[in-house]
Amino acid sequence: MMSDLSTDYPNLPKHLAFIMDGNGRWAKERGLSRTMGHRRGVRAVKNIVKAALKYKIPYLTLYAFSTENFNRPPAEVSFLMKLCTRSMGKYKKFFIKNGIKFLMIGSVDRLPKELQLAIGDLRDATETFSELTLIVAINYGARAEIIDAIRGIVRKKIPESGITWETVADHLHTRGLPDPDMIIRTSGEKRLSNFLLLQAAYAELHFLDTYWPDVDEKTFIEVLREYARRNRRMGIVQR
Ligand code: FPP
């Protein structure tokens, strides 16, 4: 319950970022196709979005597709693109009803036209909301983001002496958004894999053995507890 959590753990994070990993292995262990794993992955996305609303976490970032994911077999890439496109259309009403603002980070360049349209449509339909900001990383890679930022700064001819961290932050895809307080990766892999490298400078890192399709509200509560535990330790060190 919300009251329990906020009483026990006054330090709730403002921004959680998930690297959704393990859809393929989840499916393989059950003798199912990888595509079935991704379908169940969407169900887990909904679980986590609902939990973020329930526990009033204002920012949630989900890594759906990396620049490197384009190297997967074309049929799987195409399936993931269609799944993202369909999910955005399907959940549009849910976003509006719950006051969820949708943002995308990454490059739309290589994405199919339908997905580009779905992203633009969802962003426009939800831009005034603020109950929860859901940031989905699609065709995102931190190195590509940093190149984009440098190009933007050079294009504006900003003088060398005027470049601060704020200048750089203002040119990242995440401009205007708070840094993640904690980055969580599922499936037992312990790497950031080119995800939010600069924004992760002070983030807590948390690795779960759970495969993404098995992630639910209970997992989310465990994440909040882990965050609170670490924050409490930090407080003790500072005192
Ligand atoms: C990682 O599992 C998961 C992905 C690459 C895709 C995640 C995307 C979704 C769940 C759809 C998101 C949709 C919306 C609307 C945000 P994996 O395939 O890398 O698993 P494996 O490492 O076990 O092979």
Side-chain angles (χ1 to χ4, degrees):
M1 274 176 332
M2 180 62 209
S3 54
D4 284 344
L5 269 176
S6 52
T7 312
D8 291 354
Y9 307 106
N11 290 321
L12 287 173
K14 198 172 169 196
H15 185 175
L16 290 177
F18 284 85
I19 301 177
M20 309 188 281
D21 199 4
N23 291 350
R25 279 163 285 164
W26 179 92
K28 194 173 176 205
E29 280 186 8
R30 287 160 181 77
L32 301 169
S33 63
R34 290 180 60 82
T35 52
M36 190 50 83
H38 295 315
R39 278 185 210 280
R40 292 296 292 263
V42 174
R43 213 186 279 185
V45 167
K46 203 169 177 200
N47 287 339
I48 288 307
V49 171
K50 280 183 171 171
L53 281 169
K54 184 170 174 183
Y55 299 103
K56 301 204 181 303
I57 307 303
Y59 295 88
L60 179 68
T61 297
L62 302 175
Y63 201 4
F65 197 87
S66 69
T67 41
E68 292 73 26
N69 283 158
F70 269 112
N71 299 325
R72 291 189 177 199
E76 185 175 347
V77 172
S78 158
F79 178 82
L80 279 166
M81 296 290 152
K82 287 200 180 97
L83 188 66
C84 278
T85 310
R86 255 187 282 130
S87 304
M88 282 174 198
K90 190 171 160 196
Y91 293 119
K92 185 174 163 184
K93 277 199 191 120
F94 173 81
F95 277 60
I96 294 172
K97 187 165 165 246
N98 290 285
I100 304 170
K101 177 178 184 153
F102 173 86
L103 293 175
M104 179 230 170
I105 56 171
S107 167
V108 290
D109 292 353
R110 289 178 72 190
L111 303 181
K113 199 83 210 148
E114 309 80 66
L115 181 52
Q116 294 189 22
L117 289 171
I119 290 166
D121 182 49
L122 196 53
R123 198 176 36 212
D124 293 349
T126 63
E127 66 183 348
T128 59
F129 300 145
S130 58
E131 193 63 26
L132 164 68
T133 299
L134 175 68
I135 303 121
V136 178
I138 306 174
N139 192 20
Y140 172 87
R143 289 185 173 179
E145 179 189 35
I146 292 159
I147 293 168
D148 282 350
I150 294 170
R151 287 188 176 144
I153 292 167
V154 170
R155 215 179 297 124
K156 287 188 194 159
K157 298 189 168 50
I158 297 176
E160 194 185 320
S161 59
I163 297 178
T164 61
W165 165 245
E166 282 68 33
T167 319
V168 177
D170 277 351
H171 290 81
L172 295 173
H173 297 183
T174 51
R175 70 190 136 273
L177 299 169
D179 284 342
D181 297 304
M182 182 177 253
I183 297 183
I184 305 103
R185 182 171 189 155
T186 59
S187 91
E189 305 293 343
K190 296 183 177 66
R191 294 185 296 280
L192 283 180
S193 300
N194 207 14
F195 183 53
L196 300 179
L197 296 184
L198 289 175
Q199 298 85 338
Y202 297 99
E204 294 290 337
L205 304 180
H206 188 33
F207 301 100
L208 299 172
D209 286 334
T210 319
Y211 290 145
W212 179 256
D214 287 329
V215 164
D216 58 12
E217 185 182 338
K218 212 167 132 245
T219 322
F220 195 85
I221 293 172
E222 280 311 313
V223 165
L224 295 183
R225 289 195 202 287
E226 177 62 20
Y227 180 77
R229 265 196 292 275
R230 294 193 195 185
N231 242 8
R232 200 177 289 160
R233 247 202 318 272
M234 212 168 77
I236 290 166
V237 171
Q238 279 169 356
R239 251 179 265 138

